[in-house]
PDB file of all heavy atoms in Angstrom:
ATOM      1  N   GLY A  46     -48.487 -37.442  14.465  1.00 46.00           N
ATOM      2  CA  GLY A  46     -47.538 -36.852  13.532  1.00 46.00           C
ATOM      3  C   GLY A  46     -47.938 -37.109  12.087  1.00 46.00           C
ATOM      4  O   GLY A  46     -49.070 -37.462  11.785  1.00 46.00           O
ATOM      5  N   ARG A  47     -46.979 -36.971  11.175  1.00 49.00           N
ATOM      6  CA  ARG A  47     -47.256 -37.132   9.747  1.00 49.00           C
ATOM      7  C   ARG A  47     -47.717 -38.540   9.421  1.00 49.00           C
ATOM      8  O   ARG A  47     -48.484 -38.761   8.482  1.00 49.00           O
ATOM      9  CB  ARG A  47     -45.994 -36.819   8.940  1.00 49.00           C
ATOM     10  CG  ARG A  47     -45.536 -35.374   9.051  1.00 49.00           C
ATOM     11  CD  ARG A  47     -44.251 -35.174   8.278  1.00 49.00           C
ATOM     12  NE  ARG A  47     -43.717 -33.834   8.464  1.00 49.00           N
ATOM     13  CZ  ARG A  47     -42.550 -33.439   7.976  1.00 49.00           C
ATOM     14  NH1 ARG A  47     -41.813 -34.296   7.255  1.00 49.00           N
ATOM     15  NH2 ARG A  47     -42.118 -32.216   8.184  1.00 49.00           N
ATOM     16  N   THR A  48     -47.239 -39.524  10.188  1.00 48.00           N
ATOM     17  CA  THR A  48     -47.593 -40.920   9.912  1.00 48.00           C
ATOM     18  C   THR A  48     -48.969 -41.277  10.450  1.00 48.00           C
ATOM     19  O   THR A  48     -49.478 -42.361  10.178  1.00 48.00           O
ATOM     20  CB  THR A  48     -46.569 -41.862  10.560  1.00 48.00           C
ATOM     21  OG1 THR A  48     -46.592 -41.676  11.983  1.00 48.00           O
ATOM     22  CG2 THR A  48     -45.173 -41.583  10.032  1.00 48.00           C
ATOM     23  N   GLY A  49     -49.559 -40.381  11.204  1.00 51.00           N
ATOM     24  CA  GLY A  49     -50.840 -40.702  11.829  1.00 51.00           C
ATOM     25  C   GLY A  49     -50.697 -41.494  13.103  1.00 51.00           C
ATOM     26  O   GLY A  49     -51.688 -41.870  13.721  1.00 51.00           O
ATOM     27  N   MET A  50     -49.460 -41.764  13.507  1.00 52.00           N
ATOM     28  CA  MET A  50     -49.201 -42.521  14.738  1.00 52.00           C
ATOM     29  C   MET A  50     -49.202 -41.586  15.944  1.00 52.00           C
ATOM     30  O   MET A  50     -48.875 -40.404  15.848  1.00 52.00           O
ATOM     31  CB  MET A  50     -47.852 -43.238  14.646  1.00 52.00           C
ATOM     32  CG  MET A  50     -47.753 -44.231  13.481  1.00 52.00           C
ATOM     33  SD  MET A  50     -48.893 -45.619  13.673  1.00 52.00           S
ATOM     34  CE  MET A  50     -48.057 -46.489  15.014  1.00 52.00           C
ATOM     35  N   LEU A  51     -49.548 -42.140  17.069  1.00 60.00           N
ATOM     36  CA  LEU A  51     -49.595 -41.383  18.315  1.00 60.00           C
ATOM     37  C   LEU A  51     -48.187 -40.963  18.725  1.00 60.00           C
ATOM     38  O   LEU A  51     -47.289 -41.792  18.816  1.00 60.00           O
ATOM     39  CB  LEU A  51     -50.215 -42.251  19.423  1.00 60.00           C
ATOM     40  CG  LEU A  51     -50.492 -41.586  20.761  1.00 60.00           C
ATOM     41  CD1 LEU A  51     -51.612 -40.570  20.604  1.00 60.00           C
ATOM     42  CD2 LEU A  51     -50.896 -42.641  21.789  1.00 60.00           C
ATOM     43  N   GLN A  52     -47.972 -39.664  18.941  1.00 70.00           N
ATOM     44  CA  GLN A  52     -46.672 -39.156  19.391  1.00 70.00           C
ATOM     45  C   GLN A  52     -46.600 -39.223  20.910  1.00 70.00           C
ATOM     46  O   GLN A  52     -46.715 -38.233  21.622  1.00 70.00           O
ATOM     47  CB  GLN A  52     -46.494 -37.720  18.892  1.00 70.00           C
ATOM     48  CG  GLN A  52     -46.380 -37.621  17.378  1.00 70.00           C
ATOM     49  CD  GLN A  52     -46.157 -36.196  16.939  1.00 70.00           C
ATOM     50  OE1 GLN A  52     -47.040 -35.368  17.057  1.00 70.00           O
ATOM     51  NE2 GLN A  52     -44.960 -35.913  16.450  1.00 70.00           N
ATOM     52  N   ARG A  53     -46.410 -40.457  21.397  1.00 75.00           N
ATOM     53  CA  ARG A  53     -46.539 -40.730  22.822  1.00 75.00           C
ATOM     54  C   ARG A  53     -45.511 -39.974  23.660  1.00 75.00           C
ATOM     55  O   ARG A  53     -45.827 -39.432  24.717  1.00 75.00           O
ATOM     56  CB  ARG A  53     -46.421 -42.237  23.062  1.00 75.00           C
ATOM     57  CG  ARG A  53     -46.910 -42.668  24.426  1.00 75.00           C
ATOM     58  CD  ARG A  53     -46.973 -44.193  24.516  1.00 75.00           C
ATOM     59  NE  ARG A  53     -47.537 -44.592  25.786  1.00 75.00           N
ATOM     60  CZ  ARG A  53     -48.844 -44.650  26.040  1.00 75.00           C
ATOM     61  NH1 ARG A  53     -49.699 -44.313  25.089  1.00 75.00           N
ATOM     62  NH2 ARG A  53     -49.277 -45.014  27.220  1.00 75.00           N
ATOM     63  N   SER A  54     -44.279 -39.940  23.214  1.00 81.00           N
ATOM     64  CA  SER A  54     -43.227 -39.295  24.004  1.00 81.00           C
ATOM     65  C   SER A  54     -43.475 -37.789  24.127  1.00 81.00           C
ATOM     66  O   SER A  54     -43.271 -37.204  25.195  1.00 81.00           O
ATOM     67  CB  SER A  54     -41.861 -39.553  23.375  1.00 81.00           C
ATOM     68  OG  SER A  54     -41.810 -39.040  22.047  1.00 81.00           O
ATOM     69  N   VAL A  55     -43.956 -37.180  23.039  1.00 83.00           N
ATOM     70  CA  VAL A  55     -44.249 -35.746  23.056  1.00 83.00           C
ATOM     71  C   VAL A  55     -45.390 -35.467  24.019  1.00 83.00           C
ATOM     72  O   VAL A  55     -45.350 -34.529  24.832  1.00 83.00           O
ATOM     73  CB  VAL A  55     -44.602 -35.244  21.643  1.00 83.00           C
ATOM     74  CG1 VAL A  55     -45.047 -33.786  21.688  1.00 83.00           C
ATOM     75  CG2 VAL A  55     -43.416 -35.417  20.702  1.00 83.00           C
ATOM     76  N   LEU A  56     -46.425 -36.306  23.942  1.00 85.00           N
ATOM     77  CA  LEU A  56     -47.595 -36.109  24.783  1.00 85.00           C
ATOM     78  C   LEU A  56     -47.275 -36.361  26.261  1.00 85.00           C
ATOM     79  O   LEU A  56     -47.761 -35.653  27.136  1.00 85.00           O
ATOM     80  CB  LEU A  56     -48.716 -37.047  24.324  1.00 85.00           C
ATOM     81  CG  LEU A  56     -49.323 -36.691  22.959  1.00 85.00           C
ATOM     82  CD1 LEU A  56     -50.166 -37.831  22.431  1.00 85.00           C
ATOM     83  CD2 LEU A  56     -50.172 -35.429  23.078  1.00 85.00           C
ATOM     84  N   LYS A  57     -46.466 -37.375  26.501  1.00 88.00           N
ATOM     85  CA  LYS A  57     -46.106 -37.677  27.888  1.00 88.00           C
ATOM     86  C   LYS A  57     -45.366 -36.502  28.516  1.00 88.00           C
ATOM     87  O   LYS A  57     -45.634 -36.124  29.664  1.00 88.00           O
ATOM     88  CB  LYS A  57     -45.241 -38.942  27.944  1.00 88.00           C
ATOM     89  CG  LYS A  57     -44.911 -39.390  29.362  1.00 88.00           C
ATOM     90  CD  LYS A  57     -44.169 -40.707  29.360  1.00 88.00           C
ATOM     91  CE  LYS A  57     -43.895 -41.165  30.795  1.00 88.00           C
ATOM     92  NZ  LYS A  57     -43.165 -42.467  30.802  1.00 88.00           N
ATOM     93  N   LYS A  58     -44.464 -35.906  27.764  1.00 91.00           N
ATOM     94  CA  LYS A  58     -43.727 -34.750  28.264  1.00 91.00           C
ATOM     95  C   LYS A  58     -44.658 -33.572  28.505  1.00 91.00           C
ATOM     96  O   LYS A  58     -44.552 -32.870  29.518  1.00 91.00           O
ATOM     97  CB  LYS A  58     -42.643 -34.366  27.245  1.00 91.00           C
ATOM     98  CG  LYS A  58     -41.745 -33.233  27.700  1.00 91.00           C
ATOM     99  CD  LYS A  58     -40.658 -32.965  26.661  1.00 91.00           C
ATOM    100  CE  LYS A  58     -39.769 -31.807  27.112  1.00 91.00           C
ATOM    101  NZ  LYS A  58     -38.706 -31.527  26.096  1.00 91.00           N
ATOM    102  N   SER A  59     -45.603 -33.374  27.588  1.00 91.00           N
ATOM    103  CA  SER A  59     -46.546 -32.255  27.713  1.00 91.00           C
ATOM    104  C   SER A  59     -47.433 -32.420  28.951  1.00 91.00           C
ATOM    105  O   SER A  59     -47.659 -31.468  29.704  1.00 91.00           O
ATOM    106  CB  SER A  59     -47.406 -32.173  26.449  1.00 91.00           C
ATOM    107  OG  SER A  59     -48.448 -31.238  26.608  1.00 91.00           O
ATOM    108  N   ILE A  60     -47.921 -33.637  29.183  1.00 92.00           N
ATOM    109  CA  ILE A  60     -48.817 -33.882  30.315  1.00 92.00           C
ATOM    110  C   ILE A  60     -48.047 -33.823  31.634  1.00 92.00           C
ATOM    111  O   ILE A  60     -48.551 -33.311  32.641  1.00 92.00           O
ATOM    112  CB  ILE A  60     -49.544 -35.232  30.152  1.00 92.00           C
ATOM    113  CG1 ILE A  60     -50.544 -35.109  28.996  1.00 92.00           C
ATOM    114  CG2 ILE A  60     -50.248 -35.648  31.439  1.00 92.00           C
ATOM    115  CD1 ILE A  60     -51.181 -36.401  28.567  1.00 92.00           C
ATOM    116  N   ALA A  61     -46.817 -34.325  31.633  1.00 93.00           N
ATOM    117  CA  ALA A  61     -45.990 -34.235  32.839  1.00 93.00           C
ATOM    118  C   ALA A  61     -45.768 -32.774  33.223  1.00 93.00           C
ATOM    119  O   ALA A  61     -45.827 -32.407  34.413  1.00 93.00           O
ATOM    120  CB  ALA A  61     -44.659 -34.945  32.610  1.00 93.00           C
ATOM    121  N   GLN A  62     -45.520 -31.930  32.226  1.00 93.00           N
ATOM    122  CA  GLN A  62     -45.341 -30.500  32.476  1.00 93.00           C
ATOM    123  C   GLN A  62     -46.640 -29.879  32.987  1.00 93.00           C
ATOM    124  O   GLN A  62     -46.630 -29.037  33.894  1.00 93.00           O
ATOM    125  CB  GLN A  62     -44.894 -29.792  31.200  1.00 93.00           C
ATOM    126  CG  GLN A  62     -44.625 -28.300  31.387  1.00 93.00           C
ATOM    127  CD  GLN A  62     -44.152 -27.627  30.109  1.00 93.00           C
ATOM    128  OE1 GLN A  62     -43.827 -28.295  29.126  1.00 93.00           O
ATOM    129  NE2 GLN A  62     -44.113 -26.307  30.109  1.00 93.00           N
ATOM    130  N   HIS A  63     -47.768 -30.318  32.416  1.00 94.00           N
ATOM    131  CA  HIS A  63     -49.081 -29.822  32.855  1.00 94.00           C
ATOM    132  C   HIS A  63     -49.329 -30.165  34.320  1.00 94.00           C
ATOM    133  O   HIS A  63     -49.759 -29.321  35.111  1.00 94.00           O
ATOM    134  CB  HIS A  63     -50.166 -30.432  31.963  1.00 94.00           C
ATOM    135  CG  HIS A  63     -51.564 -30.088  32.369  1.00 94.00           C
ATOM    136  ND1 HIS A  63     -52.061 -28.803  32.367  1.00 94.00           N
ATOM    137  CD2 HIS A  63     -52.595 -30.886  32.800  1.00 94.00           C
ATOM    138  CE1 HIS A  63     -53.317 -28.813  32.767  1.00 94.00           C
ATOM    139  NE2 HIS A  63     -53.667 -30.061  33.041  1.00 94.00           N
ATOM    140  N   PHE A  64     -49.027 -31.409  34.708  1.00 93.00           N
ATOM    141  CA  PHE A  64     -49.197 -31.827  36.099  1.00 93.00           C
ATOM    142  C   PHE A  64     -48.295 -31.015  37.024  1.00 93.00           C
ATOM    143  O   PHE A  64     -48.699 -30.644  38.131  1.00 93.00           O
ATOM    144  CB  PHE A  64     -48.887 -33.318  36.236  1.00 93.00           C
ATOM    145  CG  PHE A  64     -50.064 -34.224  35.931  1.00 93.00           C
ATOM    146  CD1 PHE A  64     -51.065 -33.820  35.068  1.00 93.00           C
ATOM    147  CD2 PHE A  64     -50.163 -35.473  36.502  1.00 93.00           C
ATOM    148  CE1 PHE A  64     -52.143 -34.644  34.790  1.00 93.00           C
ATOM    149  CE2 PHE A  64     -51.234 -36.300  36.240  1.00 93.00           C
ATOM    150  CZ  PHE A  64     -52.226 -35.895  35.359  1.00 93.00           C
ATOM    151  N   GLU A  65     -47.093 -30.741  36.557  1.00 92.00           N
ATOM    152  CA  GLU A  65     -46.160 -29.954  37.371  1.00 92.00           C
ATOM    153  C   GLU A  65     -46.694 -28.540  37.579  1.00 92.00           C
ATOM    154  O   GLU A  65     -46.628 -27.996  38.682  1.00 92.00           O
ATOM    155  CB  GLU A  65     -44.790 -29.912  36.694  1.00 92.00           C
ATOM    156  CG  GLU A  65     -43.720 -29.222  37.521  1.00 92.00           C
ATOM    157  CD  GLU A  65     -42.355 -29.266  36.854  1.00 92.00           C
ATOM    158  OE1 GLU A  65     -42.174 -30.040  35.887  1.00 92.00           O
ATOM    159  OE2 GLU A  65     -41.464 -28.514  37.291  1.00 92.00           O
ATOM    160  N   GLU A  66     -47.265 -27.951  36.526  1.00 93.00           N
ATOM    161  CA  GLU A  66     -47.835 -26.605  36.636  1.00 93.00           C
ATOM    162  C   GLU A  66     -49.031 -26.580  37.586  1.00 93.00           C
ATOM    163  O   GLU A  66     -49.291 -25.582  38.263  1.00 93.00           O
ATOM    164  CB  GLU A  66     -48.262 -26.107  35.254  1.00 93.00           C
ATOM    165  CG  GLU A  66     -47.084 -25.808  34.325  1.00 93.00           C
ATOM    166  CD  GLU A  66     -47.523 -25.543  32.902  1.00 93.00           C
ATOM    167  OE1 GLU A  66     -48.740 -25.710  32.607  1.00 93.00           O
ATOM    168  OE2 GLU A  66     -46.670 -25.180  32.058  1.00 93.00           O
ATOM    169  N   LEU A  67     -49.756 -27.714  37.666  1.00 92.00           N
ATOM    170  CA  LEU A  67     -50.910 -27.810  38.559  1.00 92.00           C
ATOM    171  C   LEU A  67     -50.516 -28.253  39.968  1.00 92.00           C
ATOM    172  O   LEU A  67     -51.390 -28.397  40.834  1.00 92.00           O
ATOM    173  CB  LEU A  67     -51.939 -28.797  38.001  1.00 92.00           C
ATOM    174  CG  LEU A  67     -52.635 -28.444  36.684  1.00 92.00           C
ATOM    175  CD1 LEU A  67     -53.666 -29.501  36.330  1.00 92.00           C
ATOM    176  CD2 LEU A  67     -53.280 -27.074  36.753  1.00 92.00           C
ATOM    177  N   ASP A  68     -49.209 -28.469  40.195  1.00 91.00           N
ATOM    178  CA  ASP A  68     -48.735 -28.977  41.482  1.00 91.00           C
ATOM    179  C   ASP A  68     -49.427 -30.294  41.820  1.00 91.00           C
ATOM    180  O   ASP A  68     -49.909 -30.509  42.926  1.00 91.00           O
ATOM    181  CB  ASP A  68     -48.986 -27.942  42.596  1.00 91.00           C
ATOM    182  CG  ASP A  68     -48.235 -28.282  43.885  1.00 91.00           C
ATOM    183  OD1 ASP A  68     -47.241 -29.012  43.807  1.00 91.00           O
ATOM    184  OD2 ASP A  68     -48.663 -27.827  44.960  1.00 91.00           O
ATOM    185  N   PHE A  69     -49.437 -31.183  40.849  1.00 91.00           N
ATOM    186  CA  PHE A  69     -50.117 -32.476  40.956  1.00 91.00           C
ATOM    187  C   PHE A  69     -49.077 -33.554  40.681  1.00 91.00           C
ATOM    188  O   PHE A  69     -48.757 -33.851  39.535  1.00 91.00           O
ATOM    189  CB  PHE A  69     -51.266 -32.522  39.956  1.00 91.00           C
ATOM    190  CG  PHE A  69     -52.158 -33.728  40.069  1.00 91.00           C
ATOM    191  CD1 PHE A  69     -52.243 -34.472  41.235  1.00 91.00           C
ATOM    192  CD2 PHE A  69     -52.952 -34.113  38.991  1.00 91.00           C
ATOM    193  CE1 PHE A  69     -53.079 -35.573  41.327  1.00 91.00           C
ATOM    194  CE2 PHE A  69     -53.795 -35.202  39.075  1.00 91.00           C
ATOM    195  CZ  PHE A  69     -53.852 -35.934  40.246  1.00 91.00           C
ATOM    196  N   ASP A  70     -48.547 -34.141  41.737  1.00 89.00           N
ATOM    197  CA  ASP A  70     -47.465 -35.115  41.624  1.00 89.00           C
ATOM    198  C   ASP A  70     -48.054 -36.518  41.543  1.00 89.00           C
ATOM    199  O   ASP A  70     -48.512 -37.068  42.550  1.00 89.00           O
ATOM    200  CB  ASP A  70     -46.526 -34.991  42.829  1.00 89.00           C
ATOM    201  CG  ASP A  70     -45.301 -35.896  42.698  1.00 89.00           C
ATOM    202  OD1 ASP A  70     -45.051 -36.390  41.581  1.00 89.00           O
ATOM    203  OD2 ASP A  70     -44.607 -36.113  43.706  1.00 89.00           O
ATOM    204  N   LEU A  71     -48.042 -37.111  40.345  1.00 90.00           N
ATOM    205  CA  LEU A  71     -48.647 -38.427  40.151  1.00 90.00           C
ATOM    206  C   LEU A  71     -47.954 -39.146  38.996  1.00 90.00           C
ATOM    207  O   LEU A  71     -47.864 -38.605  37.898  1.00 90.00           O
ATOM    208  CB  LEU A  71     -50.144 -38.262  39.843  1.00 90.00           C
ATOM    209  CG  LEU A  71     -50.963 -39.534  39.708  1.00 90.00           C
ATOM    210  CD1 LEU A  71     -51.076 -40.248  41.052  1.00 90.00           C
ATOM    211  CD2 LEU A  71     -52.349 -39.220  39.158  1.00 90.00           C
ATOM    212  N   PRO A  72     -47.462 -40.377  39.222  1.00 90.00           N
ATOM    213  CA  PRO A  72     -46.851 -41.144  38.123  1.00 90.00           C
ATOM    214  C   PRO A  72     -47.862 -41.398  37.013  1.00 90.00           C
ATOM    215  O   PRO A  72     -48.998 -41.813  37.280  1.00 90.00           O
ATOM    216  CB  PRO A  72     -46.429 -42.458  38.807  1.00 90.00           C
ATOM    217  CG  PRO A  72     -46.308 -42.123  40.260  1.00 90.00           C
ATOM    218  CD  PRO A  72     -47.358 -41.079  40.511  1.00 90.00           C
ATOM    219  N   LEU A  73     -47.455 -41.175  35.779  1.00 91.00           N
ATOM    220  CA  LEU A  73     -48.375 -41.266  34.653  1.00 91.00           C
ATOM    221  C   LEU A  73     -48.651 -42.700  34.228  1.00 91.00           C
ATOM    222  O   LEU A  73     -49.592 -42.953  33.469  1.00 91.00           O
ATOM    223  CB  LEU A  73     -47.816 -40.484  33.459  1.00 91.00           C
ATOM    224  CG  LEU A  73     -47.632 -38.975  33.664  1.00 91.00           C
ATOM    225  CD1 LEU A  73     -47.080 -38.334  32.406  1.00 91.00           C
ATOM    226  CD2 LEU A  73     -48.947 -38.315  34.064  1.00 91.00           C
ATOM    227  N   ASN A  74     -47.856 -43.661  34.712  1.00 90.00           N
ATOM    228  CA  ASN A  74     -48.034 -45.047  34.272  1.00 90.00           C
ATOM    229  C   ASN A  74     -48.974 -45.848  35.173  1.00 90.00           C
ATOM    230  O   ASN A  74     -49.248 -47.017  34.914  1.00 90.00           O
ATOM    231  CB  ASN A  74     -46.677 -45.757  34.191  1.00 90.00           C
ATOM    232  CG  ASN A  74     -45.969 -45.805  35.541  1.00 90.00           C
ATOM    233  OD1 ASN A  74     -46.297 -45.042  36.453  1.00 90.00           O
ATOM    234  ND2 ASN A  74     -45.003 -46.695  35.659  1.00 90.00           N
ATOM    235  N   LEU A  75     -49.483 -45.252  36.242  1.00 90.00           N
ATOM    236  CA  LEU A  75     -50.365 -45.977  37.162  1.00 90.00           C
ATOM    237  C   LEU A  75     -51.732 -46.209  36.542  1.00 90.00           C
ATOM    238  O   LEU A  75     -52.314 -45.300  35.936  1.00 90.00           O
ATOM    239  CB  LEU A  75     -50.544 -45.181  38.458  1.00 90.00           C
ATOM    240  CG  LEU A  75     -49.355 -45.112  39.417  1.00 90.00           C
ATOM    241  CD1 LEU A  75     -49.720 -44.213  40.602  1.00 90.00           C
ATOM    242  CD2 LEU A  75     -48.990 -46.507  39.919  1.00 90.00           C
TER     243      LEU A  75
END
């Protein structure tokens, strides 16, 4: 974001949606 910090929550949501679209069920914290 503007602060240069990693927007972790935004990215986590985006990747979770990506996995769902790929029919790939996997916890992201493993």
Side-chain angles (χ1 to χ4, degrees):
R47 295 177 185 175
T48 62
M50 300 295 288
L51 187 68
Q52 293 182 291
R53 196 171 184 83
S54 60
V55 174
L56 291 166
K57 184 175 182 180
K58 184 177 179 180
S59 172
I60 290 171
Q62 183 179 349
H63 176 63
F64 275 27
E65 185 177 346
E66 290 170 354
L67 295 183
D68 193 23
F69 187 22
D70 185 14
L71 184 68
L73 298 180
N74 61 342
L75 288 177

